[in-house]
Amino acid sequence: MQFKHPELLYALFLLLIPIIIHLFQLRRFKTEAFTNVAILQTVSQQTRKSSLLKKWLVLLTRLLLLASIILAFAQPFTTNNNITDAPKETVIFLDNSFSLEQKGAQGSLLKRAVQDLISEGDFDKTITLVTHDAAYKNTTLKALQNHLLQLPYSVNPLSYQAAILKSKSLFNHASKAKKQLIYISDFQQQNQPFSVAYDSLIQVNLVKLKPINTNNVSIDSVYISKSTPLQTELTVTLKNYGDAVDNLSVALHNDEILISKSAVSITDQAETQFTLSNKDIINGTFSIEDSGLQFDNTLYFNINTPSKINVMSVTESDDTFLSKIFTADEFTFTSVSANQLDYNAIQEQHTIILNELKDIPNSLSTILKSFTDQGGNLIVIPAAQLNRNAYNSLLNHYNTRLKTLFHSEKKHHIY
């Protein structure tokens, strides 16, 4: 016989109370004097024996009633099979997230958990092993030994709920074997707390791994705080979880070359700045030296040289002066005659210059309006002799008009 709530059987100790009361009765008998008690002596002896029997029967009845109530609440049941001798099906979930990189009393938590599994587990027993990114069904620790010793940390850990569901799904629900789920983790705080829904068919055992040091500093983010044509300033944000740290080293590398190094003091959050030249292509790495978790001590970033700006001059006159303005180190300058213009090439440009065109076709005006609506730039240099209506048709798209053209020796002014 087994009990659903065997802890209630401790209440059987309450049966001692009626026994103690019966043995140490607090009732006191008062002696009454009679003139002649010889006649009552025989009756008294018979009544005393009868009373004593009744008291023992009442005590026994009370004990049986109280014991029956306790057993009823403990909910006894029997099974056809002997559960203790029934085969067991074991699923082990091993948390291999980066938080298990923390140091325990005997090394990193994950490596120590693996060593304990190999040394203390049943080496030849059939088990199912689950991690955040893998599952090994119906295997043995002996077969998994080499893999466990090289088990990597997972960059995409499952939530607690997903990990429990993944583990339970690997049980053979058609089997009558006793099911056991062993969950090994440090149980870090997540958006939802760890909880396992009660299942009478699955025994859940939790193994908590505890680090000896919970202090940690991490690189939170890197952003461009200031930019000039020659230099770019980067700001590194650091966060501290634990005791304040003095003189924390922050290093900046370009590939394997150390560019700069800085030291900061941090309590909760701190920032430090680095300045880079815009001439170099940066395959950068920010790193810190921290005795806590290692995976958040490095941040990778890239700064590429800015791409050249495409500039097209649509001209009917000499535009040599434009090529001197839009030099090859920053611009890709193209000059094309108005009568040879390929309208499809306009969408590939960043800036279009209309250089002294006498006439602007309506089709070109429409395409230029679409080009500027998509973020392109338009520069208009009017000709000395021009089709005013054609120019105004283009400028109407930008809520302006060509009114008076004043001629000077070096340049034209539009008002």
Side-chain angles (χ1 to χ4, degrees):
M1 178 181 293
Q2 300 181 56
F3 297 90
K4 186 175 182 180
H5 303 289
E7 65 275 6
L8 294 180
L9 295 178
Y10 287 108
L12 290 174
F13 287 109
L14 296 176
L15 297 178
L16 295 175
I17 297 176
I19 297 176
I20 294 172
I21 294 174
H22 179 77
L23 294 177
F24 302 95
Q25 294 188 31
L26 301 179
R27 181 178 177 184
R28 295 182 178 180
F29 295 94
K30 185 178 181 182
T31 304
E32 294 289 345
F34 288 89
T35 57
N36 190 355
V37 295
I39 302 174
L40 301 176
Q41 186 175 2
T42 305
V43 177
S44 176
Q45 292 177 353
Q46 294 177 354
T47 304
R48 189 174 300 170
K49 292 180 180 180
S50 176
S51 176
L52 183 61
L53 180 60
K54 289 180 180 179
K55 289 179 180 180
W56 281 108
L57 290 174
V58 171
L59 174 62
L60 183 60
T61 303
R62 289 173 178 171
L63 294 176
L64 289 175
L65 287 174
L66 184 57
S68 299
I69 293 173
I70 294 172
L71 292 174
F73 278 103
Q75 299 185 25
F77 65 92
T78 59
T79 58
N80 295 328
N81 299 324
N82 189 347
I83 295 181
T84 58
D85 297 332
K88 291 184 179 180
E89 183 181 2
T90 302
V91 173
I92 301 175
F93 184 89
L94 180 58
D95 183 358
N96 62 326
S97 61
F98 273 107
S99 65
L100 272 293
E101 198 176 39
Q102 297 180 91
K103 303 298 181 182
Q106 297 175 316
S108 71
L109 297 180
L110 179 60
K111 302 304 180 185
R112 187 59 199 174
V114 169
Q115 290 292 341
D116 290 343
L117 268 178
I118 295 174
S119 61
E120 299 180 11
D122 191 339
F123 215 51
D124 296 313
K125 179 182 176 181
T126 300
I127 63 167
T128 295
L129 180 70
V130 189
T131 64
H132 285 293
D133 38 24
Y136 307 92
K137 192 171 182 179
N138 297 331
T139 184
T140 63
L141 290 174
K142 182 178 181 179
L144 291 174
Q145 182 177 6
N146 292 334
H147 180 79
L148 285 173
L149 293 174
Q150 301 176 8
L151 184 65
Y153 294 98
S154 174
V155 296
N156 296 308
L158 301 172
S159 65
Y160 288 135
Q161 192 68 20
I164 291 294
L165 290 176
K166 180 179 179 180
S167 301
K168 288 186 175 181
S169 67
L170 296 174
F171 282 111
N172 182 6
H173 296 283
S175 172
K176 294 183 179 180
K178 185 179 179 180
K179 297 173 176 58
Q180 182 183 33
L181 171 60
I182 301 175
Y183 197 107
I184 305 174
S185 174
D186 60 342
F187 299 100
Q188 286 284 318
Q189 182 178 354
Q190 296 185 1
N191 295 331
Q192 294 182 347
F194 181 87
S195 63
V196 182
Y198 174 74
D199 190 338
S200 60
L201 300 178
I202 300 177
Q203 176 186 350
V204 180
N205 300 100
L206 307 180
V207 180
K208 185 174 183 178
L209 307 175
K210 295 183 179 180
I212 57 176
N213 179 21
T214 57
N215 296 333
N216 183 54
V217 180
S218 65
I219 301 179
D220 180 74
S221 58
V222 175
Y223 61 93
I224 297 176
S225 52
K226 189 182 297 184
S227 181
T228 67
L230 298 178
Q231 293 180 328
T232 298
E233 181 185 83
L234 298 178
T235 296
V236 184
T237 302
L238 307 170
K239 286 189 176 181
N240 181 33
Y241 306 89
D243 300 333
V245 178
D246 294 328
N247 199 28
L248 176 69
S249 175
V250 184
L252 170 61
H253 289 79
N254 184 16
D255 291 325
E256 301 297 328
I257 302 174
L258 177 64
I259 297 178
S260 181
K261 205 168 187 179
S262 177
V264 297
S265 297
I266 179 172
T267 300
D268 296 319
Q269 182 170 315
E271 291 184 347
T272 183
Q273 286 75 36
F274 294 82
T275 301
L276 303 175
S277 172
N278 288 345
K279 295 182 179 180
D280 300 325
I281 298 177
I282 302 297
N283 297 317
T285 304
F286 280 110
S287 60
I288 61 175
E289 297 177 1
D290 174 38
S291 60
L293 293 174
Q294 301 301 308
F295 77 92
D296 54 7
N297 290 354
T298 305
L299 190 148
Y300 300 91
F301 69 97
N302 294 95
I303 298 180
N304 298 324
T305 54
S307 58
K308 294 183 178 181
I309 300 174
N310 296 330
V311 179
M312 174 182 284
S313 170
V314 182
T315 184
E316 289 183 350
S317 64
D318 183 20
D319 60 356
T320 306
F321 70 98
L322 291 176
S323 62
K324 297 179 180 180
I325 297 175
F326 301 101
T327 55
D329 57 339
E330 296 184 41
F331 302 93
T332 301
F333 180 76
T334 305
S335 178
V336 60
S337 175
N339 56 10
Q340 297 179 349
L341 175 62
D342 180 5
Y343 287 178
N344 293 326
I346 291 178
Q347 301 301 324
E348 299 175 1
Q349 308 303 314
H350 298 105
T351 299
I352 298 295
I353 302 174
L354 301 183
N355 181 42
E356 299 187 27
L357 299 185
K358 296 179 180 179
D359 193 11
I360 302 176
N362 289 333
S363 58
L364 179 58
S365 295
T366 302
I367 291 177
L368 291 176
K369 176 61 170 62
S370 175
F371 170 73
T372 55
D373 287 345
Q374 295 176 8
N377 301 304
L378 175 63
I379 300 174
V380 179
I381 303 175
Q385 303 294 328
L386 53 79
N387 184 343
R388 188 182 300 270
N389 292 332
Y391 269 79
N392 284 332
S393 176
L394 171 65
L395 296 176
N396 281 339
H397 294 307
Y398 309 100
N399 298 321
T400 187
R401 289 181 63 81
L402 184 65
K403 295 181 179 179
T404 305
L405 183 65
F406 295 93
H407 298 276
S408 66
E409 183 178 351
K410 295 184 178 179
K411 50 187 171 183
H412 310 301
H413 300 278
I414 299 178
Y415 298 93

